[in-house]
Amino acid sequence: MCELLGMSANVPTDICFSFTGFLHRGGGTGPHRDGWGIAFYEEGGYRDFRDPHPSVHSPIARLICDYPIKSNIVISHIRQANVGQVRLANTHPFVREMWGQPWCYAHNGQLADWQALSHSFYRPVGSTDSEHAFCWLLGELRRAFPEPPQDDARRHALWQLLHELCERLRGLGVFNLLLADGDYLYTFCSTKLAHITRRAPFGRASLSDAELTVNFAEHTTADDVVSVIATEPLTDNEEWVRMVPGELLVWQGGVIRARFKT
């Protein structure tokens, strides 16, 4: 299956360290050779890079490692194709506009009977179960919330509905998800996702997929909070927390704002 990588931070932060380890799983230390992509939310804008070739050999992936893009939210994906050809249109992450915001999505897993999910506002460009499910999911949210929620009660209702929709998709197979709207990062665990939050006092971290160690104390301030989410832990000297199947976490500024469980 594919693998996911996400980040939520309270200050614009680059993901070069984590991505350096992650990209090696795309055809190096892992079998995910069928494309990769990464998306950044920064200064009210959005940009992404996608490539249908293995990330371990991709010049674009090396650019991301060498060019420290500062972002509060990042979503990345490396693909091992199950449904749909290996081509750019089927490469995650996918993006659609809702309420004037770019919603970014990446999925790890495989769904059965996904063609039965009917679309309303959004249509897929490629031929994957992942993008089909994304268009359905976002359409259901937009149907229930024609306008963006403006208060805490409405936001909580939106998050509750998102959890219910993710649970429905989990009923079709494996559905691990990263989703973001520029303000919040949503992570849903069907089988496996793990996360770590780094804050002062910062220490050293060593990648498990590459020979690289960093001392975060040299690159941060005492107020920084950075959380990284991945299918499997990226470092071998830190304690990662594994999510529970059926759990949805809502992240903002590097911390968990809400948690929903089955």
Side-chain angles (χ1 to χ4, degrees), residues 52 208 224:
S208 54
D224 293 0

Side-chain angles (χ1 to χ4, degrees), residues 20-169:
T20 297
F22 188 63
L23 73 86
H24 280 277
R25 297 180 179 180
T29 59
H32 315 89
R33 302 182 54 85
D34 301 323
W36 69 275
I38 189 167
F40 302 89
Y41 288 89
E42 47 183 317
E43 298 180 346
Y46 170 93
R47 62 172 153 179
D48 63 26
F49 302 83
R50 295 184 298 147
D51 188 352
H53 304 293
S55 58
V56 71
H57 301 307
S58 171
I60 304 174
R62 290 196 295 272
L63 167 68
I64 301 302
C65 293
D66 296 335
Y67 179 36
I69 298 173
K70 304 284 188 178
S71 178
N72 291 88
I73 297 176
V74 177
I75 287 180
S76 186
H77 178 277
I78 50 177
R79 185 177 183 225
Q80 185 177 16
N82 292 305
V83 178
Q85 296 175 324
V86 178
R87 61 191 183 105
L88 187 61
N90 291 333
T91 305
H92 306 223
F94 303 108
V95 63
R96 295 292 188 279
E97 178 274 335
M98 184 166 71
W99 309 326
Q101 296 173 291
W103 286 66
C104 175
Y105 157 103
H107 162 233
N108 161 27
Q110 191 170 356
L111 305 176
D113 301 324
W114 50 274
Q115 297 94 334
L117 298 170
S118 60
H119 293 140
S120 51
F121 300 100
Y122 303 100
R123 297 288 188 276
V125 175
S127 55
T128 65
D129 54 346
S130 300
E131 188 185 14
H132 190 104
F134 175 42
C135 292
W136 174 82
L137 177 67
L138 211 60
E140 293 299 297
L141 291 177
R142 182 172 170 179
R143 188 201 306 273
F145 295 86
E147 299 295 330
Q150 299 294 335
D151 55 54
D152 289 343
R154 292 285 288 170
R155 274 189 287 272
H156 191 275
L158 171 71
W159 300 342
Q160 180 68 55
L161 175 59
L162 175 60
H163 181 247
E164 293 170 3
L165 296 173
C166 288
E167 281 286 71
R168 179 172 170 184
L169 290 168

